[in-house]
Structures are given as structure tokens and as C-alpha cells.
Amino acid sequence: MRVQARVERSVAAADLLREELAAWLAARAAKPGFARFGHHFEVLETVLYGMLSGIRAKLLAVTAADFGPDSGAAYARCHELDQSLLTVKRLFEWYAPKYDQRLDPVRGPVLAAADEIVRSCWWQPFDVLGRRPPAGPLPYLDPLFDAFATPRREVPRALRAPDDALVAELADELIPVISLPDWAVREPWWLVVAAHETGHLVMHDLDLVYEATAVAGDWADEVFADVYSALMVGSAAGWMVGELMHGLPVDGLYYPPLDRRLAIIGLSDPLASAMLELTVDGHRLASLAGAVDGRLVTAWTAALASDDPTITKVRSREAARTMIAAGVAAPPGPAVRRNLLAYLPTCGPPGTMGSAPPAGDVRALADRLTRRVLR
């Protein structure tokens, strides 16, 4: 009876977490601000429920008959599975606050704009290839933004514990995230960082890591993202890097010197030329990413600075990335801030951040991650 009570205690904790997850998903699915992430929630539901079911099954297999008179061994096994359950909870807590920033009256409008910029940059090469992209990244605002334009995919300091490495690995396999600077709340033109961040993920999801490394060695990640962001938002990519890196030392192992990075973004450096020649299914990167429409950037630059702008053609895939490029080019001020937050969320065609993976692939992911988390 003692072993049974101990098992029931852990099973109840697993069931409580499932109820918490179900309530969170149901509440978010009903809110318009989360419509872009419906496929994310499908993936999270299948994977996290699968992990909880796997842990629950292992708990129910802990019986006095199996462990004999040694109740201590049964308790130890329950403790191991409690740690597996804690990993799932921490994984849920890794994602939930990032989505929930959209409920905040201050951060929500900025993230509505950020979502469209990321979606614009993310879909672009997949559209050209005629492919449906993976689920797509989750943008969020980070008060600890480290002034380096890299995806922040490590576990937040507030959640650090011995199992954080595992939580981070699990998160990497689920939904990628994109960290954006918190100061974009006041200066939304800083959302241009999203073009560079998205480039990091595109390189991996187009399976270009090997080819990019052959071109740029240890600099490959940054050089690819710099070239990609230049194609997405033009000279705004150079402004972003120049502003972030001004006066800071450069880690020469992973980053080119600042003057060379700016040349790469200007597409005048040999490394940029080599990156533009990378191909996927016969398509060069230069054609996969396209180029920002300079004339439209100029027109929108003037419009964004006015108090009563007339802005049309916002439903195209390129609209959001073109608009944020114009926002960087416009003189900073209240009108630009107001107009970016008003018009960016209206950009782009209907649809979600990416596309839902096939159900079989999601179930396979759930099984794989369940095996990883079980102790």
C-alpha cells in the first residue's frame, strides 16, 4: 500500500501538469493574437502529451510485486520519474512566457509586428522552392538581449538547474525561438534584427550548413545570416550590425571584424559573393531570398514619417520586411513608431508562421523526446 500511494502521488502530479497544459492551450487557441501559431500548439500538444503519457505509463509500472519488499527501491524509481516530469514542466515553462508576451498590453503590439517580419523572412525561400516550410520560429522580446544578433536558444537564467542542458536540447528540436531586443517596444524599427535571426534558422532548415561552412569556416553562421538579412531588408541590415557592434570587441573565432561584416552585408565582399552562389534544388541563394524592393522602401519611408500615411500593397509576402527596412530608413520619431505598430501587423497573406509537420513526424518526435526524458 505504501508503494501504491507513492505511485499515485506522482501520477497525480503528471495529471495535474497535463490539465495545466490543456487549459493553457485551450485559452491561447481561442485568442486572435495567437492565430499565427495554431500549428505550433498542435506540435506542442502532441509532443508534451506524449511525454507525459510515457512518464505516466512508467509510473504505473512501479508495483510492489516488481520491487518486492524493498519499498525504498520503488520510491527511488518514482523519484527518477518525478525528475523526468520536472523536465517536461520546465520545457513547458520555457515556451509559455514567450507566447504569453502577446497578452501584455505593452509588448503585445510590438510582437504582432515582429511576427509578421519573421513570417515574411521565413517563408520567402520556401515559397520559391515550392515547399511548405517547417513550423517556423517563435519571436519574443528579451530584456537580456546581449547586443549580438544570434538566436537565443539557451534556457533563461531564471530557469537554470542541473537539467537545463536537456531542456535546451529538447526545445531545439521542438519550436525554434528568436530573441529580439526589449527596447523595440519604444523603438520598433529595431525589429529589423529579426531578418538576421531568421537567417540563422533558414541556413539550417535548408540544409546549407555544410556548404556555408565550406565557404566561411567558423564564420559561416554569421556570414550566412548577414547575407540573408541584406537580401531581406537591404541596407537596414548594415545599420543594425553597425549599431549593435559599435565600440564592442569582436569574437574573431565566430565573427568577422566589423568593417568586413559591413562589406559582407553590402554584398561587396568575396564571402558574400560565395554565399550568394549556394544552391538548393538548383536555386541560388540570391534568387531564393530575392531582394528588397528599393522603390517601395523609399515610398514607405516617407509615408511612415507622416501623420496620416497612405500605405497599400501590404498583403504580399515581402511587405513586412520591406516595411521594417523603411522604418529603419525613416527619421526616428513618434509617427514612425505609431505607423510601424499600426501597419506591420496587417502585412502578409493569410496563414500561419509556418506549416504543421505531418502527423506521423510529430508523433515520431514525441516518441524520440519521450525516450530522451525518461530516466
Side-chain angles (χ1 to χ4, degrees), residues 90 125 178 340:
R90 293 173 71 82
I178 285 180
L340 283 175

Side-chain angles (χ1 to χ4, degrees), residues 251-268:
D251 179 353
L253 179 60
Y254 299 109
Y255 293 83
L258 178 56
D259 58 348
R260 189 161 187 194
R261 282 192 74 183
L262 295 176
I264 289 167
I265 293 170
L267 305 183
S268 61

Side-chain angles (χ1 to χ4, degrees), residues 223 226-228 230-231 234-235 238 257-276:
V223 171
D226 280 343
V227 170
Y228 192 81
L231 294 170
S235 61
L258 178 56
D259 58 348
R260 189 161 187 194
R261 282 192 74 183
L262 295 176
I264 289 167
I265 293 170
L267 305 183
S268 61
D269 187 275
L271 285 180
S273 300
M275 284 291 180
L276 292 172

Side-chain angles (χ1 to χ4, degrees), residues 94-178:
W94 160 239
Y95 282 111
K98 293 175 173 62
Y99 287 104
D100 285 353
Q101 285 185 349
R102 288 156 182 80
L103 299 174
D104 183 90
V106 174
R107 290 177 173 81
V110 180
L111 283 168
D115 291 343
E116 296 312 317
I117 298 168
V118 170
R119 197 166 72 106
S120 176
C121 296
W122 174 248
W123 272 85
Q124 176 68 35
F126 297 99
D127 272 349
V128 174
L129 291 167
R131 300 182 190 176
R132 290 187 64 78
L138 166 66
Y140 73 103
L141 297 174
D142 188 350
L144 301 177
F145 193 80
D146 56 8
F148 291 90
T150 56
R152 186 183 300 280
R153 289 188 277 176
E154 73 272 12
V155 178
R157 289 182 176 87
L159 296 181
R160 287 183 180 171
D163 284 338
D164 281 347
L166 177 57
V167 172
E169 290 173 15
L170 296 173
D172 269 349
E173 293 196 50
L174 265 176
I175 305 292
V177 300
I178 285 180

Side-chain angles (χ1 to χ4, degrees), residues 205-218:
D205 283 306
L206 290 181
D207 294 324
L208 287 172
V209 176
Y210 177 83
E211 291 84 351
T213 302
V215 167
D218 289 335

Side-chain angles (χ1 to χ4, degrees), residues 29 52 55 171 179 192 195 279 291 355 358:
L52 290 174
I55 294 169
S179 165
V192 73
T279 61
S355 57

